[in-house]
Amino acid sequence: MRRRLIAAGRSRMRRLKRRASLRRIRSMAVSLRAKFFTACLLMAFTTGLLGAYAQWTQRGIGAFATRTYDQTFIAMGNLRSAQNGLLKLRASLEREEVRMRDRPAAMRSPNESLVLAAALPSMLAHLSVAHERGVSAAARASADRLRDRLLTLRDILRQRGTPAMFQALDTLESDFDGAVEIHAADASRDRREIERLTEASNRQTLIAVGLSAFAAILISYLLARAVLPPIRTAVSAARAISSGRLDTEIQTRGRDEVAVLLRALARMQASLVEKIGHINRLAAAATGQAELLRLQNGRFEGALDNMIQGLSMFDANGRLAVYNRRFEEMFGPPVDGARPGSLVVSGVPAVHVVPGTHNLEMPDGRVIALSHQPMADGGWVDTFEDVTERLHAEASLERMARYDGLTKLPNRTFFRERLEEALDKARERGPVVLCLDLDGFKAVNDTLGHMIGDDLLRVVAQRLLDCVRATDVVGRLGGDEFAIIQAEAGGAAESEGLAKRIIEALSTVFEIEHFQVAISVSIGIAREDGAPGETLAERATALLKNADVALYRAKVEGRSTFRFFAAEMDRKLQIRRLLELDLRTALEKGQFELVFQPLVDAGRGGVCCFEALLRWNHPVRGVVSPDEFIPLAEETGLIKAIGRWVLQSACTEAAAWPDAVSVAVNLSPVQFNNPFLAAEVVRALDVSGLDPRRLELEITESVLIMEDALVLTTLHQIRDLGVRIALDDFGTGYSSLSYLRRFPFDKIKIDRSFVSDLAAEDNIAIVRAIMGLGQALKMSVVAEGVETVEQQAVLVGEGCTELQGYYFSAPCAAGHVHGLIDRLRTVLPRCA
């Protein structure tokens, strides 16, 4: 019995404890909800107070603004209406007064009283409203005063006193203005009061918003401090369990919901620790040698199957023991699907090889690299690698290194190798080399584009192959340069025949992408007769150099032709190269000099201009002709720097001449490739201080043949400066008239070839035509090369405006210019 009582007591105690725990959990749950509910109530109460306060302040301001509108603005509106009625009344009275001015007083009509009687009720009504709505006593008094004045005006009109009437009107109008000012002052005062109240309301609202925000932040902070720390503790414990850190101690203090959650996590952690320990013990017991062996086999198979080479292993009896997946991909599975242990493998060549690596050519065209390595037990291991693509790539690289990618012809490197082979094989007669350069190819590239140019080069290569024999070698050296080796040329006639065939083949119009392209070719030919003591490389270099020299001679002598190499050509080329080297240093060494030849005015007499001419005083060669070094300077691009020096020096010299004398400077076509040419002209004028109207720039028709927008733009920029533009050597081009139409020149110069033989009927006709053209276009006409008095007389008679030539003076140094001006002024007769 006692035991039963004790057991029953214990059971009851347990029930009571469970009930107490449930009550604590419920109380803790209520506590968190209470915290959130209390915080929300406080924030809602604060927000409500803020809204009520804002509404109260805005309602007061609105009421005050409404009162201002209802009182002041309505009063002013009625006052303005009454004032407008007064103005209309005055206008009506003035019209009536004018109409009745000439009538006797007895005959006047009582229209004034009628007008007032009609207008007075409305005006009095408006004044009554203004009195009722007046805000201040002064406003109401002013309305009363105006009403009294109106009544007084009515009495005056009844007495028909015109002077008194208008005097009363003036007083009434002044009172109206005063009343309006009083009401406006009231409105302004009310507006300022509204602004003050609004500002005060805004400040108070801002303070209330700030206090509300502070209260919200404080409530949120207190709530966060009460709720977040235990939640962080629970999250940290959950993360530790999920990451496998089961030795982390979990604090379970507290009586709220989070504490209950922490105690549940602690029990979960203890359970996981127990179960994981049990699992580990089971895994350790199950691990054995069989598992290790399986793992090692798996690794071995994985390594074999992931090899990029095929692998096969044979035992001492020649039976296949192991092979991998790559081996099966390369040769297929063993015969009849046999696995390791079979004697035959399909597709593997039955060869016996020595240890090492060997390339095997397969029936299907593949190349397999086989590495054969014997093993100590009598078996062997073979590895296989498909090297077909690699060999193809190496062959492709070899072709790229030796052949031109565009035309598929031998490139310069391979061509030299073939030339050295031909030289090495030559016995009695050495090979012949033809160097070819396409004439007009750059124009095709510039006008039709590089894609058309590339297509043209491919067609040219094919035509060259069609012209040569199977034993000849055609190569592309680069750009539009080709070369041919005649390894077995019988003599000069055979090489000449080949050159003529090539010129004829390449002179035929090409059809490229619906375009008709016309080019020509220049050819240089050189034969190698053997040079004992020289290496093959030196002989090949010399042969190519000689053919290139002959090619240069062919291009100089007219293009679309061929020339055989001669020793004299090399000598002239060496002289030209030396001259080019000297020309590159002539400017900085001060070897250039300007001389000046006068142009005389055919109408007034005397010098009107000097043409600046460049001279090169070479320290060894003496004076070098401009015809010799100017083309060289243009070809090398040195003409740009030389032309800049000429322009600056000529302007500087001309600045010291009389104002009526100009200077003419020739511009090379190459200088127009410079987009800053106009800026260089401006700089020369600024540095020298020369008036732009005293500068003339002479250009030839070859500048305009370029048909470049940059040329015309530059010419217009220079002409806009005030500089005059002259067209030199007019009449020698094939389309001079079109140039004159495209650009308004200031002057045209007749070429000396027409002046030298004026007795010829054709020449004088050309001169007359040019004179007429110059007059029609209002251009000055200059005749060059005047050497006799008869030429002067004919040219003046035909209307030439300026003359130039040795008849007047040869080119002179800058120091003789002033003396020449004085001499020609006094000696030259007037030719008017």
Side-chain angles (χ1 to χ4, degrees):
M1 187 68 180
R2 182 179 179 183
R3 291 179 179 176
R4 291 177 183 175
L5 290 175
I6 293 172
R10 289 178 178 175
S11 176
R12 185 178 181 183
M13 288 296 294
R14 285 196 294 271
R15 288 197 297 270
L16 290 175
K17 288 182 179 178
R18 282 199 296 271
R19 292 174 183 174
S21 298
L22 290 174
R23 283 196 298 272
R24 284 198 299 272
I25 291 174
R26 292 194 184 98
S27 64
M28 286 185 288
V30 171
S31 65
L32 281 179
R33 286 199 296 270
K35 291 176 184 177
F36 280 104
F37 182 72
T38 303
C40 291
L41 282 179
L42 289 175
M43 294 181 70
F45 179 72
T46 304
T47 304
L49 286 179
L50 175 63
Y53 177 77
Q55 185 178 11
W56 175 74
T57 56
Q58 294 300 324
R59 185 180 298 166
I61 295 172
F64 193 87
T66 302
R67 183 178 67 82
T68 300
Y69 174 79
D70 290 344
Q71 302 298 325
T72 305
F73 289 140
I74 292 177
M76 286 185 66
N78 282 272
L79 194 62
R80 290 289 189 187
S81 298
Q83 188 178 22
N84 291 334
L86 180 64
L87 294 176
K88 292 179 181 178
L89 173 65
R90 183 183 181 100
S92 299
L93 292 175
E94 288 177 349
R95 287 195 301 271
E96 184 67 20
E97 181 66 21
V98 171
R99 188 170 62 83
M100 303 297 298
R101 185 177 296 168
D102 297 334
R103 298 183 180 182
M107 298 178 65
R108 294 185 178 181
S109 63
N111 288 340
E112 294 90 343
S113 300
L114 294 176
V115 171
L116 180 62
L120 186 61
S122 175
M123 295 171 61
L124 290 174
H126 286 307
L127 290 176
S128 297
V129 174
H131 174 79
E132 294 174 359
R133 298 289 185 173
V135 177
S136 64
R140 292 190 292 273
S142 65
D144 294 339
R145 187 165 54 252
L146 288 173
R147 186 171 54 188
D148 295 340
R149 294 285 189 189
L150 280 176
L151 296 175
T152 302
L153 178 62
R154 183 184 61 183
D155 297 337
I156 293 174
L157 287 176
R158 288 175 178 173
Q159 300 173 6
R160 297 183 181 179
T162 300
M165 175 184 68
F166 284 105
Q167 184 176 4
L169 286 172
D170 292 340
T171 304
L172 190 58
E173 289 179 0
S174 176
D175 290 344
F176 263 108
D177 293 337
V180 169
E181 290 179 358
I182 291 172
H183 281 77
D186 292 343
S188 177
R189 184 179 61 256
D190 290 345
R191 186 185 66 186
R192 288 194 298 272
E193 181 64 19
I194 290 173
E195 291 176 352
R196 186 188 65 78
L197 291 175
T198 302
E199 292 177 358
S201 175
N202 289 337
R203 286 194 301 271
Q204 294 167 0
T205 301
L206 288 176
I207 293 172
V209 169
L211 292 175
S212 176
F214 175 76
I217 293 172
L218 180 61
I219 293 170
S220 300
Y221 172 75
L222 294 175
L223 182 62
R225 287 200 61 182
V227 174
L228 291 182
I231 292 178
R232 290 197 193 98
T233 303
V235 170
S236 177
R239 286 178 177 173
I241 293 173
S242 65
S243 63
R245 291 184 283 109
L246 302 179
D247 56 346
T248 304
E249 182 181 358
I250 300 177
Q251 301 291 335
T252 59
R253 291 189 299 273
R255 295 185 300 172
D256 56 7
E257 295 90 336
V258 178
V260 174
L261 176 62
L262 289 174
R263 283 191 285 273
L265 290 174
R267 287 194 296 273
M268 180 191 298
Q269 183 184 45
S271 177
L272 287 175
V273 169
E274 182 180 356
K275 291 180 179 179
I276 290 174
H278 181 65
I279 291 171
N280 289 336
R281 288 190 295 273
L282 291 177
T287 302
Q289 294 298 323
E291 181 64 22
L292 291 177
L293 181 59
R294 187 189 64 80
L295 181 61
Q296 293 297 332
N297 288 337
R299 291 173 180 175
F300 179 67
E301 291 179 0
L304 287 179
D305 288 340
N306 285 282
M307 290 178 60
I308 61 174
Q309 295 90 5
L311 181 141
S312 63
M313 181 182 297
F314 291 83
D315 60 18
N317 297 321
R319 295 195 306 173
L320 179 64
V322 176
Y323 67 92
N324 64 355
R325 183 172 56 192
R326 180 59 181 151
F327 177 88
E328 187 173 351
E329 291 174 354
M330 295 173 67
F331 304 110
V335 174
D336 298 329
R339 302 307 299 170
S342 299
L343 296 175
V344 181
V345 178
S346 174
V348 180
V351 294
H352 298 281
V353 294
V354 296
T357 302
H358 312 273
N359 285 344
L360 305 178
E361 294 185 4
M362 305 299 292
D364 57 2
R366 292 181 299 164
V367 179
I368 305 296
L370 167 62
S371 177
H372 180 77
Q373 297 295 334
M375 294 189 298
D377 61 356
W380 65 89
V381 176
D382 291 336
T383 57
F384 306 88
E385 183 179 1
D386 190 340
V387 295
T388 308
E389 293 297 329
R390 187 179 71 190
L391 295 179
H392 287 171
E394 292 174 355
S396 177
L397 290 175
E398 179 70 14
R399 286 194 299 272
M400 291 173 61
R402 299 167 68 85
Y403 289 89
D404 175 54
L406 181 65
T407 62
K408 309 307 179 186
L409 297 176
N411 60 16
R412 181 183 292 273
T413 302
F414 190 35
F415 185 83
R416 280 186 60 94
E417 293 178 7
R418 298 295 300 271
L419 179 56
E420 291 178 9
E421 291 176 6
L423 290 171
D424 188 40
K425 294 178 181 179
R427 294 295 180 260
E428 296 180 359
R429 285 181 173 273
V432 174
V433 172
L434 291 80
C435 282
L436 294 75
D437 188 80
L438 302 182
D439 303 324
F441 177 75
K442 183 178 183 300
V444 174
N445 260 350
D446 294 341
T447 56
L448 301 181
H450 289 279
M451 294 183 65
I452 300 298
D454 291 346
D455 291 342
L456 176 60
L457 290 175
R458 294 188 188 97
V459 179
V460 167
Q462 186 57 50
R463 290 192 182 183
L464 291 177
L465 290 173
D466 294 339
C467 292
V468 301
R469 302 167 303 180
T471 57
D472 297 335
V473 178
V474 181
R476 182 187 177 206
L477 304 185
D480 59 344
E481 299 179 15
F482 294 85
I484 299 174
I485 302 173
Q486 280 187 300
E488 301 177 1
E494 188 173 339
S495 299
E496 181 177 343
L498 175 59
K500 289 180 179 179
R501 289 198 305 274
I502 292 173
I503 292 174
E504 181 180 358
L506 299 187
S507 297
T508 306
V509 175
F510 293 80
E511 292 284 344
I512 307 292
E513 295 275 344
H514 307 296
F515 293 102
Q516 289 189 339
V517 179
I519 60 172
S520 60
V521 62
S522 298
I523 305 175
I525 307 172
R527 174 182 288 277
E528 211 282 334
D529 294 325
E534 293 183 352
T535 65
L536 289 175
E538 292 171 346
R539 291 166 60 189
T541 301
L543 185 55
L544 285 172
K545 172 179 168 292
N546 293 343
D548 193 55
V549 170
L551 172 62
Y552 174 78
R553 177 56 56 187
K555 295 178 74 68
V556 169
E557 294 183 2
R559 302 174 183 264
S560 189
T561 185
F562 64 91
R563 290 290 182 271
F564 284 91
F565 172 76
E568 179 66 18
M569 294 180 183
D570 189 43
R571 189 182 67 82
K572 289 182 179 180
L573 184 60
Q574 294 300 329
I575 293 174
R576 179 186 178 278
R577 288 174 178 168
L578 291 175
L579 186 64
E580 179 183 340
L581 292 175
D582 292 341
L583 183 61
R584 291 185 181 277
T585 60
L587 185 60
E588 53 184 71
K589 290 182 178 180
Q591 296 175 0
F592 289 117
E593 176 188 9
L594 287 183
V595 296
F596 300 89
Q597 187 174 27
L599 284 73
V600 298
D601 192 319
R604 295 178 303 163
V607 177
C608 61
C609 182
F610 279 94
E611 181 179 2
L613 302 172
L614 182 63
R615 296 291 183 265
W616 181 13
N617 298 316
H618 194 278
V620 178
R621 297 163 57 97
V623 178
V624 182
S625 171
D627 294 336
E628 187 176 354
F629 73 84
I630 291 296
L632 182 59
E634 291 178 336
E635 183 179 340
T636 58
L638 296 173
I639 193 65
K640 294 181 181 179
I642 295 173
R644 192 160 47 245
W645 177 87
V646 170
L647 180 63
Q648 183 64 67
S649 301
C651 291
T652 302
E653 290 290 345
W657 299 345
D659 293 341
V661 180
S662 303
V663 63
V665 179
N666 291 279
L667 293 182
S668 166
V670 179
Q671 290 180 262
F672 281 88
N673 293 330
N674 178 14
F676 304 105
L677 179 59
E680 291 179 1
V681 174
V682 172
R683 183 177 183 278
L685 293 172
D686 289 343
V687 172
S688 63
L690 181 68
D691 188 341
R693 293 172 294 181
R694 294 177 58 200
L695 175 62
E696 295 180 4
L697 298 179
E698 297 184 3
I699 65 172
T700 60
E701 292 177 0
S702 58
V703 172
L704 297 176
I705 290 176
M706 298 163 62
E707 295 189 1
D708 192 345
L710 175 62
V711 173
L712 292 179
T713 301
T714 302
L715 287 175
H716 281 289
Q717 289 175 346
I718 294 173
R719 199 166 188 268
D720 291 342
L721 298 173
V723 177
R724 293 163 59 85
I725 307 294
L727 182 59
D728 198 8
D729 298 336
F730 183 76
T732 58
Y734 62 89
S735 56
S736 301
L737 295 180
S738 66
Y739 298 150
L740 294 179
R741 180 172 56 84
R742 291 172 57 196
F743 184 81
F745 290 93
D746 300 289
K747 182 186 293 187
I748 52 178
K749 300 183 74 173
I750 304 174
D751 188 68
R752 64 181 68 250
S753 61
F754 302 112
V755 177
S756 61
D757 190 10
L758 288 176
E761 188 173 339
D762 292 343
N763 285 351
I764 192 65
I766 292 175
V767 170
R768 286 173 182 166
I770 296 175
M771 296 295 180
L773 185 62
Q775 292 173 1
L777 297 176
K778 297 181 181 180
M779 296 181 184
S780 302
V781 180
V782 182
E784 296 181 305
V786 180
E787 298 182 356
T788 65
V789 67
E790 291 79 12
Q791 292 173 346
Q792 172 191 330
V794 171
L795 292 170
V796 172
E798 294 296 338
C800 188
T801 52
E802 297 177 13
L803 305 173
Q804 180 183 5
Y806 276 79
Y807 175 72
F808 306 103
S809 174
C812 66
H816 298 158
V817 167
H818 289 280
L820 187 59
I821 293 174
D822 295 337
R823 181 174 66 80
L824 293 179
R825 182 187 300 122
T826 58
V827 174
L828 184 69
R830 296 178 62 83
C831 303

